[in-house]
Amino acid sequence: MDLSVRIGSMTLKNPLIAASGCFGYGVEYADVFDISILGGLATKGLFLSEREGHPPPRIVETPAGMLNAIGLQGIGASRFVEEKLPQLRALGATVIVNVCGTTIAEYAEVSRIVSDAEGVAAIELNISCPNIKEGGIQFGCSLTGTFAVVDAVRKVTQLPIIPKLTPNVTDVASFARAAEEAGADAVSLVNTFLAMVIDVETRRPKISNIVGGLSGPAIRPIAVRMVYECRQMVKIPILGMGGIADARDALEFIIAGAAAVQVGTANFVDPFVWTKLLDGITDYMQRHQIARLSDLVGTLDTRTGDAAGISA
Amino acid sequence: MDLSVRIGSMTLKNPLIAASGCFGYGVEYADVFDISILGGLATKGLFLSEREGHPPPRIVETPAGMLNAIGLQGIGASRFVEEKLPQLRALGATVIVNVCGTTIAEYAEVSRIVSDAEGVAAIELNISCPNIKEGGIQFGCSLTGTFAVVDAVRKVTQLPIIPKLTPNVTDVASFARAAEEAGADAVSLVNTFLAMVIDVETRRPKISNIVGGLSGPAIRPIAVRMVYECRQMVKIPILGMGGIADARDALEFIIAGAAAVQVGTANFVDPFVWTKLLDGITDYMQRHQIARLSDLVGTLDTRTGDAAGISA
Amino acid sequence: MPIDVAAHVVANHALSTDYNVLSLAAPGLTTTAAPGQFVMIKAGRGHDPLLRRPFSIFEVLRDERGTPTGISILNKRIGVSTGLVYDARPGQRVDCLGPLGRPFTIVEPPNEAWMVAGGVGLAPFAELATALRGRGIATVLFYGARSGAELFYLDFFRGLGVELVLTTEDGSLGERGRIVAPLDRRLAAQPAESALMVYACGPEGMLAATARTAARHGRRCQVSVERLMGCGLGGCYSCVVPMRTDDGRSHHVRSCIAGPVLAGDQILWD
Amino acid sequence: MPIDVAAHVVANHALSTDYNVLSLAAPGLTTTAAPGQFVMIKAGRGHDPLLRRPFSIFEVLRDERGTPTGISILNKRIGVSTGLVYDARPGQRVDCLGPLGRPFTIVEPPNEAWMVAGGVGLAPFAELATALRGRGIATVLFYGARSGAELFYLDFFRGLGVELVLTTEDGSLGERGRIVAPLDRRLAAQPAESALMVYACGPEGMLAATARTAARHGRRCQVSVERLMGCGLGGCYSCVVPMRTDDGRSHHVRSCIAGPVLAGDQILWD
Ligand SMILES: Cc1cc2nc3c(=O)[nH]c(=O)nc-3n(C[C@H](O)[C@H](O)[C@H](O)COP(=O)(O)OP(=O)(O)OC[C@H]3O[C@@H](n4cnc5c(N)ncnc54)[C@H](O)[C@@H]3O)c2cc1C
Ligand SMILES: Cc1cc2nc3c(=O)[nH]c(=O)nc-3n(C[C@H](O)[C@H](O)[C@H](O)COP(=O)(O)OP(=O)(O)OC[C@H]3O[C@@H](n4cnc5c(N)ncnc54)[C@H](O)[C@@H]3O)c2cc1C
Ligand SMILES: Cc1cc2nc3c(=O)[nH]c(=O)nc-3n(C[C@H](O)[C@H](O)[C@H](O)COP(=O)(O)O)c2cc1C
Ligand SMILES: Cc1cc2nc3c(=O)[nH]c(=O)nc-3n(C[C@H](O)[C@H](O)[C@H](O)COP(=O)(O)O)c2cc1C
Ligand code: FES
Ligand code: FES
């Protein structure tokens, strides 16, 4: 059975990627399980320099979801390359670096630094962080901005470029199209939904940043719809995510059109979710006699009619 | 204690409104509880003529939410006025008619019919149904379209006009602004989020319409954020909704800026939720010595800093 | 006038690895309950699962003085909520809204009553049989399942004097095959002048076949349909069944308030 | 090397209307557990509540042969998940991930050990006291709560030979007021040459006061902090505490992996 996924020059041994910001730098999980079983891992978002992020509280739980405004605390590109990357290489991880920037020049510079380093498989462009003013969302919410960032990074790296799209727009598929036209090798979606929770007793926001990003199972049906829409619009692979908690959820994204899936919040709930996902997908492929995972991608059957009877 | 809410010429005895499509025509609940305790009720969406809606399955449950694509099955404006309105009057209900249209002319005509009838308190313009191509979403997703519908209806009715906004846009506040400029007396938000659920065993959508609208607690944090954004943008009252299941949830919307709240999905789970909401809000106002509910609207305290310590 | 009762589990009898009978203390709920009516149950806390699920009232539980103390439901585990109902522990709280829906119309002698049940579709017939036999009506239960191990409460119905016609798909008990086959034969053999009402509950396909068979033999048939239900009270329009109107059009009827018991010959079976 | 155990509730002892001790059968979990470590618990099924919650390991449970069979947690009901833990029934499944975090550093004689607990902050001290007394270390427990009814396990600590200093806000048991007052007086009275380690766990305000007091008296202080934790493994950066770096800057440290036990004098208390 072939679970591998090709994204530009990068080949993932399976479609399971640890989502950015939900897996630290990867090394934190080395003594929890063998992280080389992952198809890949996306690092915490990296700027050129270190950042301390927002003051706590940074998260609050919501029905079947969570709100976060970490504020992209991170060690910056250079320290990552020096301190973390060698360990990740030694651990046999396929590393996708989540690149942030406050300017197009910063995106390009961070991308150049990680491209020069050894052991980076791809670049995920975070143009969709809803939690900090300079989080690139100004690029992620404009078609020209999206095109410009991808175009600039394309000039400085041979690595696969994977812009990560925000769901906080009217027509996400048009952003996928803009990224494709600018030379992106794939797109990741979705990042979190801008949201807020209020402590009614204090009449204050529950997190220090006032608003944060909603993730987890709550958003899954919206994310699946967006992946499906993008699938109709672009030819490049889609890395689908948003609320995946079990193999059935992952398969939903794949059938909707995702070539690979990322899992974030569910890794908090169960750091051992990965083997369960892998087993569940393998079992499904056996039951349905699917030899290559790629044969399952985007196979949603939308003929109406039969869908009717519930007893079906 | 004053729980009343003024919206244009309409006064609600309290801020609790049964959300459109989640309360039938109201009469269905007459022998479940005394519907005159409600601040108001929004009817199922009404077109000029009868509609049979989509074939089943029309709903599917999701984590802390549900997806629906009913397809606006309904009896049409005239039959509603003849058959349901007299009963609702007799039951002492404050009736908000949810008006649908496939053309601006239809919105105007339906609005005229219900305005001529006796016992209609306000018109809610459904320009945001995601589930049918001709559901007015083409108006709800364009600023000029939103303006045009409100403007046209404004010419044919003296009743308060309350356009209902879709959350499936980049900047919902700009739509609230467009509605206000066109002469709307208030805005309702949010309608459902376009979403989809796939049966991975059959590789078919779980509902016959392929995509549907996500509602319920899952969407609440996004809806609260949108109400908060609109509060900064417009002066007219906001009817907030999206996942309200208890008094705390309702208070979140009110503190974020909603003058009144609507409750849909929670009424399915518990048709007796209304007295619980009323008691919870009254108790809160007593504890916090708030004499008039209107004094609580939009009182979110966003000074940062103190929010920090979780022990706070 | 439905009420919502915070019922407590008094007993949970597993009948098989999929089926169980859950007994709930729900005083007040059953004072007006009639055979064929259902309840909307919320077995879990929190918002996941979110919606209630519809269950037929299987038995009305009574104390020694005969006053109703609650209900039991016959549950088949097929997903999240039926899984919670299967695993429910004594003492656990289960919110129970009802009674809901249109019950069966109970015939009078000299009518005979033929009940046709498929699988968990047996649920509404315990109370119906009790009511029918109470009126001294000759009652037959046509009851089909996958195997003999999934044919439950046979002695209960025998005890009421109900005649049993059983089929199993694997032939392990009664006739091998679907329940509609013996129903068809028996209807054919039935004297035309005899008065007869067919009651059916089970999977969609079985209901359609039963309704068609009854119609072909010129017999009236009440079917209890199973639709996904969001509210059970007419609020959401999720539970509709396409039915023929008097003027011959097709109309989506809300099975939670117009049903679950509907006239088999008016449903537009697809 | 943490593991995730599908633990089962073996007992649930209510201590008050807010507090209970939940005993969990979790073989394997405790083989490496050290005082001050915690577990991440998921008490409910489904996705609401979604995240696990951190709980200190209160007691390591052992069979007659002394082999660890599981753990108990001292729970204070303040919301959804602590409510589920309070209501948990024997036999119920509770997912339990651990052991996690940096434990207390245990001193050697001739050091004295002073433990300062506020409310449910008592939780990590049962195991710590056992370890300390096992090394024959003179141990004092400063323990404050709202009222005497919320001071638990006093006999357990007495039995270990731990000296108790108690305060309650309502004065119903021990000295009226906050626990830091007697701690301050006693630290002042303590001969300077004596070796001493202060251990503290409780509400943020109490921890800050304790750390400042210890520092003022030139005493080392290990505090176990309580932060909202999304993962407990360093993955989410939700649990950060602002701390002073060697070069004097402020840095957000992840309390789940660098802590929960941190050096009181390096935390930047706001
Ligand atoms: C009036 C009425 C009375 C009923 N009485 C009983 C009864 O007495 N005992 C009993 O065991 N069941 C009864 N049912 C069916 C029961 O309501 C469903 O099995 C239940 O809602 C499934 O919930 P779940 O959370 O376990 O499944 P879910 O996890 O919600 O769904 C699991 C799978 O089953 C499918 N499904 C969900 N509901 C139905 C349905 N109604 N029919 C067919 N497929 C479905 C879903 O699409 C999904 O694929 C009744 C239904 C109705 C409408
Ligand atoms: C390392 C560590 C060890 C802990 N050990 C124990 C223990 O042994 N026994 C015990 O009872 N508790 C312990 N706690 C605290 C416990 O984790 C929280 O009380 C719990 O997470 C609350 O969950 P909930 O679902 O009940 O509350 P929620 O419903 O999630 O929240 C209810 C309210 O409490 C607030 N809140 C949530 N978590 C905290 C927190 N950690 N501190 C302050 N306010 C909070 C929320 O903002 C909300 O306002 C520990 C915490 C940590 C970090
Ligand atoms: C705590 C937290 C931190 C996150 N940090 C980042 C980040 O640094 N960069 C990024 O692109 N996405 C970040 N995300 C978004 C996730 O990568 C993912 O897109 C989103 O959470 C949806 O997936 P999920 O529902 O599986 O968590 C973060 C999400 C969470 C919950
Ligand atoms: C089954 C169903 C039917 C609905 N029908 C309508 C409708 O006819 N018109 C409308 O404006 N909104 C309709 N809505 C949207 C609700 O009025 C409401 O905006 C949305 O469900 C969010 O609120 P909630 O989370 O409290 O349900 C419908 C929602 C549901 C779940
Ligand atoms: S279940 Fe809601 S209308 Fe029938
Ligand atoms: S709890 Fe996730 S990093 Fe500490």
Side-chain angles (χ1 to χ4, degrees):
Chain A
M1 195 154 26
D2 178 7
L3 287 175
S4 69
V5 179
R6 277 197 62 79
I7 290 160
S9 60
M10 170 175 66
T11 301
L12 308 175
K13 66 172 74 74
N14 65 55
L16 302 178
I17 301 168
S20 178
C22 304
F23 205 66
Y25 295 107
V27 296
E28 293 86 346
Y29 285 83
D31 64 354
V32 179
F33 69 96
D34 170 11
I35 65 172
S36 72
I37 68 166
L38 297 174
L41 67 87
T43 67
K44 180 101 191 96
L46 290 168
F47 285 85
L48 212 44
S49 50
E50 299 187 31
R51 297 175 56 93
E52 280 302 320
H54 297 311
R58 292 174 164 189
I59 63 167
V60 59
E61 185 165 319
T62 70
M66 66 179 281
L67 209 62
N68 91 85
I70 305 302
L72 290 169
Q73 172 170 0
I75 59 176
S78 316
R79 274 188 61 197
F80 170 77
V81 167
E82 291 153 27
E83 300 170 21
K84 308 294 178 187
L85 202 47
Q87 299 181 58
L88 289 170
R89 270 210 314 278
L91 290 163
T94 302
V95 180
I96 301 169
V97 176
N98 186 257
V99 171
C100 303
T102 60
T103 63
I104 292 182
E106 184 171 15
Y107 278 104
E109 181 57 9
V110 173
S111 301
R112 199 190 47 67
I113 292 172
V114 298
S115 304
D116 294 347
E118 194 191 330
V120 176
I123 287 173
E124 181 174 61
L125 292 174
N126 181 2
I127 52 174
S128 46
C129 178
N131 298 337
I132 61 172
K133 277 156 254 48
E134 68 287 14
I137 194 72
Q138 71 274 30
F139 303 114
C141 282
S142 114
L143 291 169
T144 53
T146 299
F147 186 97
V149 174
V150 176
D151 184 56
V153 172
R154 181 76 289 168
K155 294 189 171 63
V156 302
T157 184
Q158 302 302 320
L159 292 177
I161 302 177
I162 310 168
K164 185 165 179 176
L165 307 180
T166 177
N168 301 301
V169 294
T170 309
D171 178 20
V172 68
S174 61
F175 287 81
R177 168 64 64 82
E180 181 177 48
E181 286 168 349
D185 299 275
V187 287
S188 287
L189 61 129
V190 298
N191 208 318
T192 53
F193 288 79
L194 195 60
M196 113 190 251
V197 176
I198 296 169
D199 184 329
V200 301
E201 294 304 322
T202 62
R203 291 192 234 170
R204 297 178 155 286
K206 270 279 194 184
I207 55 179
S208 68
N209 190 55
I210 300 171
V211 294
L214 183 66
S215 65
I219 68 171
R220 196 190 70 229
I222 314 178
V224 170
R225 184 263 301 178
M226 289 179 168
V227 166
Y228 175 70
E229 284 176 352
C230 289
R231 179 71 287 155
Q232 320 306 310
M233 203 49 148
V234 299
K235 298 204 171 20
I236 52 176
I238 296 166
L239 282 56
M241 78 196 89
I244 295 172
D246 59 29
R248 196 211 63 83
D249 300 343
L251 290 161
E252 242 193 309
F253 278 84
I254 292 165
I255 291 166
V261 295
Q262 299 196 35
V263 178
T265 302
N267 177 67
F268 299 155
V269 181
D270 179 8
F272 299 103
V273 70
W274 306 102
T275 46
K276 296 166 190 166
L277 290 167
L278 216 44
D279 295 348
I281 291 172
T282 326
D283 168 67
Y284 176 90
M285 288 173 68
Q286 262 151 8
R287 282 193 291 109
H288 292 262
Q289 277 130 40
I290 296 162
R292 285 199 261 76
L293 184 77
S294 52
D295 296 339
L296 188 61
V297 176
T299 56
L300 180 68
D301 174 358
T302 53
R303 276 173 298 134
T304 42
D306 313 30
I310 48 174
S311 41
Chain B
M1 195 154 24
D2 178 8
L3 288 176
S4 68
V5 179
R6 279 197 62 81
I7 290 161
S9 60
M10 169 175 67
T11 301
L12 307 175
K13 67 172 73 75
N14 65 56
L16 302 178
I17 301 167
S20 178
C22 303
F23 206 66
Y25 295 106
V27 296
E28 292 86 346
Y29 285 83
D31 64 354
V32 180
F33 69 95
D34 170 10
I35 65 173
S36 72
I37 68 166
L38 297 174
L41 68 88
T43 67
K44 181 101 193 89
L46 290 169
F47 285 86
L48 212 42
S49 50
E50 299 187 29
R51 297 176 56 93
E52 279 302 321
H54 296 312
R58 291 174 164 189
I59 64 167
V60 58
E61 186 165 318
T62 70
M66 67 179 281
L67 209 61
N68 91 85
I70 305 302
L72 291 169
Q73 172 171 358
I75 58 176
S78 316
R79 275 189 61 197
F80 170 77
V81 167
E82 292 152 27
E83 300 170 19
K84 308 295 179 187
L85 202 47
Q87 299 181 59
L88 289 170
R89 270 211 314 278
L91 291 163
T94 302
V95 180
I96 301 169
V97 176
N98 186 258
V99 171
C100 304
T102 61
T103 63
I104 292 183
E106 184 171 16
Y107 278 105
E109 181 57 9
V110 174
S111 300
R112 200 189 47 68
I113 292 173
V114 298
S115 304
D116 294 348
E118 195 190 329
V120 175
I123 288 172
E124 180 173 62
L125 292 174
N126 181 3
I127 53 175
S128 46
C129 177
N131 298 337
I132 62 172
K133 277 155 253 54
E134 67 286 14
I137 194 71
Q138 72 273 30
F139 304 115
C141 282
S142 117
L143 291 170
T144 53
T146 299
F147 186 97
V149 174
V150 176
D151 184 57
V153 172
R154 181 76 291 169
K155 294 188 171 63
V156 302
T157 185
Q158 302 302 319
L159 292 177
I161 301 176
I162 310 168
K164 185 166 178 176
L165 307 180
T166 176
N168 302 300
V169 293
T170 309
D171 178 19
V172 67
S174 62
F175 286 82
R177 168 63 64 83
E180 181 177 47
E181 286 168 350
D185 299 276
V187 287
S188 287
L189 62 134
V190 298
N191 207 317
T192 54
F193 288 77
L194 196 60
M196 109 193 257
V197 176
I198 296 169
D199 183 328
V200 301
E201 294 304 322
T202 62
R203 293 194 231 168
R204 296 175 155 288
K206 270 280 195 184
I207 54 178
S208 69
N209 191 54
I210 299 171
V211 294
L214 184 65
S215 64
I219 68 171
R220 197 191 70 227
I222 314 178
V224 170
R225 183 263 300 178
M226 289 179 168
V227 165
Y228 175 70
E229 285 176 352
C230 289
R231 179 71 289 154
Q232 321 304 310
M233 254 303 210
V234 299
K235 299 205 168 22
I236 51 176
I238 296 166
L239 281 57
M241 78 196 89
I244 295 172
D246 59 29
R248 196 211 63 82
D249 300 342
L251 289 162
E252 243 193 308
F253 278 85
I254 292 165
I255 291 165
V261 294
Q262 299 196 35
V263 178
T265 301
N267 177 66
F268 299 154
V269 180
D270 179 8
F272 298 103
V273 71
W274 305 103
T275 45
K276 296 166 191 168
L277 290 168
L278 217 42
D279 294 349
I281 291 172
T282 322
D283 168 68
Y284 176 91
M285 288 173 68
Q286 262 151 9
R287 283 193 291 110
H288 291 263
Q289 279 131 38
I290 297 163
R292 284 198 262 73
L293 184 77
S294 52
D295 295 339
L296 188 62
V297 176
T299 56
L300 180 69
D301 175 358
T302 54
R303 276 173 299 135
T304 45
D306 313 29
I310 48 174
S311 42
Chain C
M1 190 83 179
I3 62 169
D4 185 22
V5 181
H8 284 79
V9 176
V10 290
N12 182 354
H13 296 302
L15 301 176
S16 75
T17 52
D18 293 334
Y19 285 82
N20 68 305
V21 173
L22 192 71
S23 301
L24 298 167
L29 185 72
T30 45
T31 47
T32 64
Q37 287 194 295
F38 65 99
V39 292
M40 293 290 284
I41 277 183
K42 188 155 173 32
R45 305 257 69 78
H47 293 306
D48 181 33
L50 177 67
L51 299 171
R52 295 183 187 229
R53 297 295 193 274
F55 289 87
S56 300
I57 294 171
F58 178 48
E59 302 157 300
V60 173
L61 307 177
R62 304 174 179 282
D63 61 18
E64 50 290 332
R65 271 190 266 65
T67 22
T69 58
I71 63 167
S72 75
I73 59 175
L74 175 66
N75 174 67
K76 181 185 180 185
R77 177 184 16 200
I78 69 159
V80 179
S81 292
T82 50
L84 289 171
V85 169
Y86 188 87
D87 298 333
R89 285 197 164 62
Q92 184 178 323
R93 176 178 153 195
V94 173
D95 292 334
C96 207
L97 173 70
L100 301 169
R102 285 248 186 93
F104 289 112
T105 307
I106 298 175
V107 291
E108 296 294 340
N111 275 278
E112 284 183 42
W114 293 7
M115 308 184 296
V116 188
V120 75
L122 181 72
F125 291 139
E127 285 296 319
L128 179 62
T130 309
L132 289 165
R133 295 299 298 146
R135 300 185 182 194
I137 292 167
T139 307
V140 184
L141 171 65
F142 295 80
Y143 181 16
R146 284 177 294 187
S147 76
E150 294 197 343
L151 288 170
F152 308 111
Y153 277 68
L154 302 182
D155 292 341
F156 167 84
F157 286 98
R158 288 197 188 97
L160 285 173
V162 173
E163 178 190 351
L164 298 184
V165 179
L166 308 176
T167 64
T168 53
E169 287 169 24
D170 65 2
S172 54
L173 184 58
E175 171 179 335
R176 164 181 257 109
R178 302 298 178 83
I179 194 64
V180 180
L183 173 69
D184 191 13
R185 290 198 307 273
R186 181 114 169 212
L187 281 168
Q190 186 76 354
E193 63 281 9
S194 71
L196 171 65
M197 175 67 77
V198 177
Y199 300 94
C201 184
E204 189 106 337
M206 184 215 100
L207 292 183
T210 304
R212 290 204 187 87
T213 307
R216 201 170 57 251
H217 294 282
R219 298 300 187 173
R220 294 166 304 160
C221 175
Q222 301 177 36
V223 302
S224 180
V225 297
E226 251 196 35
R227 281 288 192 238
L228 287 167
M229 288 187 174
C231 70
L233 288 166
C236 72
Y237 283 79
S238 66
C239 61
V240 295
V241 173
M243 293 188 78
R244 192 178 299 100
T245 58
D246 309 344
D247 56 0
R249 290 181 302 105
S250 159
H251 177 52
H252 278 133
V253 170
R254 286 169 287 180
S255 61
C256 64
I257 49 176
V261 178
L262 297 167
D265 58 353
Q266 282 163 40
I267 295 175
L268 296 166
W269 304 101
D270 43 38
Chain D
M1 190 84 179
I3 61 168
D4 186 22
V5 181
H8 283 80
V9 176
V10 290
N12 182 355
H13 295 302
L15 301 176
S16 75
T17 52
D18 294 335
Y19 285 84
N20 69 305
V21 173
L22 192 71
S23 302
L24 298 166
L29 185 73
T30 45
T31 48
T32 65
Q37 288 194 292
F38 65 99
V39 291
M40 293 291 285
I41 278 183
K42 187 156 174 32
R45 305 258 68 78
H47 294 307
D48 181 33
L50 178 67
L51 299 171
R52 295 185 187 227
R53 298 293 194 274
F55 289 86
S56 300
I57 295 171
F58 179 49
E59 301 157 302
V60 173
L61 308 177
R62 303 174 181 283
D63 62 18
E64 49 290 331
R65 271 188 267 68
T67 22
T69 57
I71 63 167
S72 74
I73 59 175
L74 176 65
N75 175 65
K76 180 185 181 186
R77 179 189 10 204
I78 69 159
V80 180
S81 292
T82 51
L84 289 171
V85 169
Y86 188 86
D87 298 333
R89 286 196 161 62
Q92 183 177 322
R93 177 180 154 192
V94 173
D95 292 335
C96 208
L97 174 71
L100 301 170
R102 286 247 187 93
F104 289 111
T105 306
I106 298 174
V107 291
E108 296 294 340
N111 275 278
E112 282 183 43
W114 293 8
M115 307 184 297
V116 187
V120 74
L122 180 72
F125 291 139
E127 285 297 318
L128 179 61
T130 307
L132 290 165
R133 295 299 298 144
R135 300 184 181 194
I137 292 169
T139 306
V140 184
L141 172 64
F142 295 79
Y143 182 17
R146 284 178 294 187
S147 77
E150 293 196 345
L151 289 169
F152 309 111
Y153 277 69
L154 302 182
D155 292 341
F156 167 84
F157 286 98
R158 288 196 189 98
L160 284 173
V162 173
E163 178 191 350
L164 297 183
V165 179
L166 308 176
T167 65
T168 52
E169 288 172 25
D170 65 2
S172 53
L173 184 58
E175 172 180 332
R176 164 181 260 111
R178 301 300 177 84
I179 193 64
V180 181
L183 172 70
D184 191 11
R185 290 199 307 273
R186 181 104 169 224
L187 279 168
Q190 186 76 353
E193 63 283 7
S194 72
L196 172 64
M197 174 67 77
V198 176
Y199 299 95
C201 184
E204 189 107 335
M206 183 214 100
L207 291 183
T210 304
R212 291 206 186 87
T213 307
R216 202 172 55 249
H217 294 284
R219 298 300 187 175
R220 294 165 306 161
C221 175
Q222 301 177 38
V223 301
S224 179
V225 298
E226 247 193 42
R227 280 287 190 240
L228 286 168
M229 288 187 174
C231 71
L233 288 165
C236 72
Y237 283 79
S238 66
C239 61
V240 295
V241 174
M243 294 186 77
R244 193 179 296 97
T245 58
D246 309 344
D247 55 0
R249 290 180 304 107
S250 159
H251 178 53
H252 278 133
V253 171
R254 286 169 289 181
S255 61
C256 65
I257 49 177
V261 177
L262 297 166
D265 59 354
Q266 282 162 41
I267 295 176
L268 296 166
W269 305 100
D270 41 42

